[in-house]
Amino acid sequence: MGSKLAFGWACLLTSLMVLVTEVRGQVKFFNVMNYSAVADGATDNSQAFLKVWKEACEWKGNGSVLIPPGSYMVNSVRFEGPCKGSVGVVIGGLLKAPADPSKFSTDSWINFRYIDQLTVSGGGTLDGQGQVAWGLNDCNKNSSCPRLPTTLRFDFVTNAWIDHVSSLNSKNNHIVIFGCENLNMTHIYISAPANSPNTDGIKIGSSHGIRISSSTIGTGDDCIAMLSGTKDVNISNVFCGPGHGISIGSLGKNNGDNVDGVLVQNCTFRGTSDGVRIKTWAFPSLGTASNFIFQDIFMDQVGNPIILDQEYCPYPPCSQQTSLLQISNVTYINIWGSSSAKVAVTLRCSASKPCQNVVLEDINLGYRGRDGPVTALCSHVNGSANGHQSPPPCI
Ligand SMILES: *[C@@H]1O[C@H](CO)[C@@H](O)[C@H](O)[C@H]1NC(C)=O
Ligand SMILES: *[C@@H]1O[C@H](CO)[C@@H](O)[C@H](O)[C@H]1NC(C)=O
Ligand SMILES: *[C@@H]1O[C@H](CO)[C@@H](O)[C@H](O)[C@H]1NC(C)=O
Ligand SMILES: *[C@@H]1O[C@H](CO)[C@@H](O)[C@H](O)[C@H]1NC(C)=O
Ligand SMILES: *[C@@H]1O[C@H](CO)[C@@H](O)[C@H](O)[C@H]1NC(C)=O
Ligand SMILES: *[C@@H]1O[C@H](CO)[C@@H](O)[C@H](O)[C@H]1NC(C)=O
Ligand SMILES: *[C@@H]1O[C@H](CO)[C@@H](O)[C@H](O)[C@H]1NC(C)=O
Ligand SMILES: *[C@@H]1O[C@H](CO)[C@@H](O)[C@H](O)[C@H]1NC(C)=O
């Protein structure tokens, strides 16, 4: 079993090296085992990892950190650039965070910052060991609690490819992308229980040119969330469940919030509380959210398969004012499957800023409940409905 695994890993590594060599010329590997890392699942390897990062980053060519199979305990590490060439991290092993949340001094566990041309790959796993943290009493809102770290965080990273990486049981968000540009994620596997609080799968803010594909996300909060400053994001072939769906927002707490250009395509949602969601607070801040396409999406027993809500209020009571955030150009095409609630389509826009150009095309959602067929609910929506429509459209 072990040798089979090691063999598989060696093959993956060899093909990766061949690939990388072909594409980029020589890559120099820096093996953490040569920097006194100990793969016993208990020794803190933070210093060894930082030392090896520094060497790879300062290599005047294409350097890559190599973490072979094995179990490595590691505390918060910040992999910081700028580097002298392109830089990679090949994670073949299992990285384990300390279970005790008070051991973290920063808001992230594995943090990449200010790096151009980064590759993270290798098929390894980041285990956030979040179980103890989830038991704390609503810790993200309580200053007497330790700050719970995001498992994997990218700040100001450009031209990056994150491929074949797993994140288990994060204490807080699994992955955060902030201030990044041209970053691709493929074959990402994210898993935490449905009842783990605040464990968003991938959270994106102030970034553009982000692509996420061929990935599986099951967690206790949003599978993917896109916050203010996000522009030009493509998401395809993502499986989401359990979780709270793929969300734009929440927006509208601050003046100037904006998200522009999101395409969600070929995705499956299973047993999630929400499917494709746009949410703004009922708060009089100016902002915009526009140019979204949700296309070719299968819903399997989803709570709110299609929901656009400008009165978002997860913890009532909220100030019931009206949103001044303008939503426009939202298209839903070919969305089918089953709703686990009677209202399958909700388009609740702002009375002060009605949604503009919302299009429903070929919607086929069913319901197995006893209280009649599925329905749609609209307020202050301007747009059109074409093709097959179940529930009957309210636009
Ligand atoms: C680095 O570590 C690997 C695996 O432990 C070993 O085979 C190799 O000889 C080491 N290289 C150097 C330069 O020490
Ligand atoms: C490093 O990789 C880049 C492409 O990412 C390539 O253009 C360059 O030639 C490589 N440098 C070396 C020293 O191999
Ligand atoms: C804050 O956290 C502490 C320790 O977990 C807990 O005793 C306290 O009740 C929490 N306060 C609030 C307002 O949640
Ligand atoms: C990301 O994917 C796009 C589309 O496939 C490609 O054009 C781009 O070069 C990729 N970027 C990186 C950094 O791999
Ligand atoms: C997303 O896909 C659309 C349509 O294929 C394309 O025009 C756009 O450039 C893509 N954006 C990104 C960030 O890849
Ligand atoms: C979506 O799936 C269809 C059918 O499997 C495929 O032809 C198409 O290329 C996919 N599109 C994307 C963006 O993955
Ligand atoms: C909405 O789409 C139309 C037509 O493509 C475009 O002209 C307009 O600029 C878009 N609105 C926004 C706010 O981007
Ligand atoms: C809907 O759009 C039409 C055409 O642009 C416009 O005349 C109308 O006032 C809009 N309705 C609302 C509620 O915004």
Side-chain angles (χ1 to χ4, degrees), residues 353-357 380-383:
K353 296 269 183 178
C355 295
Q356 298 299 323
N357 194 26
H380 314 295
V381 187
N382 200 341

Side-chain angles (χ1 to χ4, degrees), residues 260 290-291 328-329 357:
D260 184 13
S290 14
N291 305 315
S328 51
N329 296 351
N357 194 26

Side-chain angles (χ1 to χ4, degrees), residues 236-237 265-266:
S236 61
N237 303 304
Q265 213 176 359
N266 276 17

